[in-house]
Amino acid sequence: MAAIQDRFKQIRTFIFDVDGVLTDGSVNLLATGERFRTVFIRDTYAIERALKAGFRVGILSSSNADGVRSWLTAMNVTAIFMGGPSDQKVNAYLGYIARDGLNEAEILYMGDDIPDYAILNRPVVFSTCPADAVAEIQAICKYISPVDGGRGAVRDVIEQVMKAQGKW
């Protein structure tokens, strides 16, 4: 556990997937064809606290939902990379690192499914996942939250990092 605490102390940037991490993976379909997702308010609170404490928060998702983008923008998340093929997520990740000059050793990434594999399997990134992530993802992550996606997994990792750094 000491090694995990040391990793929490190094984090300066959080990057999260949306479906299955910020949401429980459910997509509600309306008769109009609109799709909507539900987010957990405690995750929202933790993101707001992280931003106010000076952490970077980025979002990578192959889905491109206007409602999700509006919600993130309202929270002042500016690093939003949504849309595009799910097998190209790693390219968006690498582009974000290059664009903002990020140190990969200071990044915590949380994903839950195969499209996140190429990022989570990078040796330097602090790879994390919710408790209900698929088995292949759990097998490669350095930290598995005890909480499911969309039910506080994001809050868990943000709170752990900020507590380790004396910022919570």
Side-chain angles (χ1 to χ4, degrees):
M1 190 62 171
I4 295 293
Q5 288 299 313
D6 289 342
R7 287 297 281 134
F8 285 145
K9 289 178 184 176
Q10 296 174 17
I11 301 306
R12 302 287 174 261
T13 302
F14 297 99
I15 304 176
F16 300 109
D17 177 32
V18 174
D19 294 322
V21 172
L22 284 165
T23 76
D24 67 3
S26 298
V27 177
N28 298 289
L29 307 172
L30 302 176
T32 61
E34 289 180 86
R35 298 179 288 170
F36 71 91
R37 293 156 173 85
T38 302
V39 295
F40 197 52
I41 197 67
R42 292 182 199 155
D43 289 338
T44 300
Y45 175 73
I47 290 170
E48 290 172 342
R49 289 245 353 224
L51 289 166
K52 285 179 184 172
F55 290 90
R56 293 175 188 237
V57 176
I59 304 299
L60 272 100
S61 179
S62 49
S63 67
N64 195 12
D66 290 336
V68 173
R69 186 179 299 278
S70 295
W71 167 69
L72 292 166
T73 301
M75 283 194 303
N76 297 314
V77 175
T78 58
I80 304 170
F81 305 91
M82 295 176 65
S86 61
D87 64 345
Q88 297 299 310
K89 235 175 163 175
V90 69
N91 293 336
Y93 171 79
L94 294 171
Y96 176 34
I97 289 173
R99 184 192 83 179
D100 289 18
L102 302 178
N103 178 347
E104 196 168 16
E106 297 175 345
I107 295 172
L108 179 150
Y109 183 87
M110 180 174 269
D112 72 307
D113 207 347
I114 300 304
D116 301 301
Y117 190 94
I119 299 168
L120 292 167
N121 201 37
R122 294 180 60 80
V124 180
V125 70
F126 186 40
S127 56
T128 67
C129 66
D132 59 345
V134 298
E136 296 91 340
I137 296 302
Q138 289 190 24
I140 62 169
C141 281
K142 296 173 181 109
Y143 176 78
I144 301 170
S145 173
V147 186
D148 287 349
R151 300 300 304 156
V154 168
R155 163 75 176 254
D156 172 49
V157 293
I158 291 174
E159 188 174 331
Q160 296 243 21
V161 165
M162 290 181 70
K163 282 182 176 178
Q165 296 180 19
K167 297 178 180 179
W168 185 255

